[in-house]
Amino acid sequence: MNPYNKKIIWRMIQQKGDSLKDKLKFHPHHPKGRNSYAHVALCIKTKFNASYKDIPDIKFNDVINFIEFLKKNPS
């Protein structure tokens, strides 16, 4: 993904992560709390089988739509 698109996606990940702070379920591997930004990035990685940085630009809109989906359907 080109640098400009990466910045847009990262900003969206941060916004979604901010909205999830202290809302993710407790997990014993994360006794101090879960990282909401990492959670969103992992959801993207799971969905697209690649880090958001490595997803081709042609799928940029798909990533945007998926983050919007996550906003409407918190996990």
Side-chain angles (χ1 to χ4, degrees):
M1 190 169 293
N2 70 50
Y4 180 76
N5 287 347
K6 283 182 198 177
K7 287 181 183 179
I8 292 171
I9 297 295
W10 179 242
R11 276 192 227 116
M12 292 186 75
I13 289 171
Q14 288 175 313
Q15 290 170 348
K16 177 60 182 162
D18 289 342
S19 72
L20 286 176
K21 274 195 175 176
D22 301 322
K23 293 181 183 174
L24 295 173
K25 293 180 185 176
F26 174 79
H27 192 278
H29 292 142
H30 307 280
K32 294 182 181 179
R34 293 172 62 192
N35 182 329
S36 56
Y37 308 110
H39 175 76
V40 176
L42 182 60
C43 288
I44 292 169
K45 187 173 184 174
T46 301
K47 171 78 173 170
F48 294 95
N49 296 316
S51 165
Y52 77 94
K53 297 174 185 178
D54 298 327
I55 297 172
D57 285 316
I58 197 163
K59 292 189 177 191
F60 176 76
N61 287 330
D62 294 336
V63 177
I64 297 288
N65 291 335
F66 182 66
I67 294 172
E68 291 298 326
F69 170 80
L70 290 175
K71 287 180 182 178
K72 294 175 186 171
N73 302 286
S75 52

